[in-house]
Amino acid sequence: MVPAFVNSGLFLSLACPQLKRWDARKSRAANGASELSGPPPSTADGRPVLRVHLSSEADVPSARSALRYAYTGDVQAGSIRKALEVRRQAVNLRIEGCAAACMEIVKAKLAEASNDSSSDTSSSPAGEGDGKSSSAAAAATQPRSCPNAAATESPPPPPVLELFSKSLWPEPAMEPDFADVLASAKPLLVAHFSDVLRTLNTRQLRSQLLALPAVAVEALLESDDFGADNESSVLLMLAVWMEANHGAIDAHTRERLCRQVRLVQLSRPYLCSILPVLALDFETAPAAASTAAPAGPITATTSVSVTTISAITGGSGAAAGAASSSAAAAASGTTSTAVSAAAWFPIRGAEAAFIASLATSQPPLREALVAAGRKVYDMTCPWYSLRRRRQCLPATGLVYHWRIPQRELASALAQLAPGGLSCTAGSFDGGFSFISAAGFEWWPSIEYRHGAGEANLGLYSQMPEALQVPGSRFTGPRPAVAVVAGVDADLSVHNWQQEALVDDGVYFSTAKDIWPVGGGRGANVLALRQQPADAAAATASVVARSSVGVGGGALTGPLAAWSDYLRDGEMAGKLTLLPPAPA
């Protein structure tokens, strides 16, 4: 059997029982069909020829393997991806038994991956990476960009990601044999991504997240074992995925995913500022009128049970009312491409306000709100779930290392006019200009005013780019939202005075440190040495030899005052995210 790919077809000489079935099907379709065009019906030696249409030449190996199964009853597939490719061809060719055999290979590969609990996950958190960050000399008040997650070479993906390949994942409703495989794969998928901070702040994992199909993202969102610092970061992760995949999914799928976010557990900034704008975008975006349902209960699509706020009063949460917005979209014939990308989160303003009130209320008001809400909203939906995800921040905190190249600091100081202020931003290991936490993006900055004897170590925040989609109220010269936020964290800079490492730092607590998103807060913790009188004249030579620091020769000029904080050509420090204080 020697197949040849010619004009989108695969021609093979076959001599097996299944050929009779194919010939019979072809005979039934021959009346009025044009499938007999192309090569002659038999070869020179009289063997029959079967023409198989393929989408590309890349499908030839998997089609060959599927047809080989018709002869041997054996599938040759060394990976999950290969097994799925063969399975797809077997389904197209209706080769009996081949698809099931491929699924057995998939199950076996997943079982091997599950048993190999000691293996690494091929990605390390940004806070534990050893690589140098990319240099970024920008003013601290300017928005910072996440680097291209696909810019560096990555190791092969784990088997579970081969299973969740977008190009190979079938429609679950059409492929019931995937149900068992999906159930066994979900824990492996959750274990691979681990938690939301690891996923958003690790270059490779962030790239892998964007490549997941909706069913895989749903598996992460619905899992209690998928860790989070708080639910706002979960909503941000969904926004990051949605920004890249909005046009590839329909309204029903978007709603199914969005309804896995546990909105009553959002932080106050997200409840009071972000969620209302998402609702405004949804209600006012083009085509929203035809896709949005009236306020009322919506049947949630979820495969897991939830602990809901209605349990406070022991209510059943019985729902009666209007159909879901996705059903309304289907009834109206509106496609996902007709809906603005800004309208990606399907919630109305009235329900967003109700959720914010409910989440921030105390008894007896909460019980009254629950009783009233059960008559209007579907409170069995995960939006109202009180079930906590695993806290991903250890008691000792999660550390992210940052650094500022000495040359950047020297350049900023050289350009500083008398009385002027310089702001030099730090970047994180792994090439990230910021880290995501508490639903926002954060980075450190060193601020110095000309002639001062100390410098400020500050922490800055910005609105996530994933929320600033075209057409959203989050965008534009005057965004329609004022947001304040904070984060529980320790920000420190390494002090190498007397060759001993001591960290000078600032502690931030959400109980007292809240500031507008887009700004920063810090303290003058860098005590600078007395600057030489001839510092200005020596500036040029300092810039030229800015790779010299403690342990590599004495610094002169403006950098001499910073010598306690410079080592090996850089200033470095840590941002330690801390778990929230007990309520």
Side-chain angles (χ1 to χ4, degrees), residues 57-83:
E57 191 169 0
D59 291 335
V60 171
S62 54
R64 185 204 307 262
S65 296
L67 291 169
R68 182 182 291 110
Y69 177 87
Y71 284 91
T72 66
D74 178 55
V75 176
Q76 296 182 359
S79 67
I80 288 179
R81 182 175 185 85
K82 178 64 177 177

Side-chain angles (χ1 to χ4, degrees), residues 531-546:
Q531 188 172 353
D534 60 346
T539 294
S541 64
V542 172
V543 174
R545 56 191 295 272
S546 60

Side-chain angles (χ1 to χ4, degrees), residues 78-85 105-106 109-110 159-160 162-163:
S79 67
I80 288 179
R81 182 175 185 85
K82 178 64 177 177
L84 292 176
E85 290 173 346
I105 294 177
V106 171
K109 295 294 183 183
L110 288 176
V160 69
E162 294 183 8
L163 173 66

Side-chain angles (χ1 to χ4, degrees), residues 113-195:
S114 179
N115 293 334
D116 192 12
S117 58
S118 61
S119 63
D120 222 332
T121 58
S122 77
S123 298
S124 60
E128 298 176 6
D130 295 326
K132 300 288 185 180
S133 64
S134 60
S135 60
T141 55
Q142 295 301 312
R144 317 206 73 208
S145 298
C146 176
N148 181 1
T152 59
E153 185 176 351
S154 300
V160 69
L161 292 189
E162 294 183 8
L163 173 66
F164 284 104
S165 170
K166 282 183 183 177
S167 61
L168 298 174
W169 189 262
E171 179 61 37
M174 302 297 293
E175 305 288 351
D177 57 336
F178 262 75
D180 293 340
V181 174
L182 178 59
S184 62
K186 283 182 178 180
L188 294 176
L189 184 73
V190 172
H192 174 69
F193 286 95
S194 181
D195 62 72

Side-chain angles (χ1 to χ4, degrees), residues 292-308:
I298 299 178
T299 302
T301 304
T302 177
S303 59
V304 296
S305 60
V306 296
T307 304
T308 65

Side-chain angles (χ1 to χ4, degrees), residues 406 545-555 563 566-570:
Q406 184 173 306
R545 56 191 295 272
S546 60
S547 61
V548 181
V550 173
L555 291 168
S563 59
L566 295 171
R567 189 180 182 92
D568 299 329
E570 66 181 15

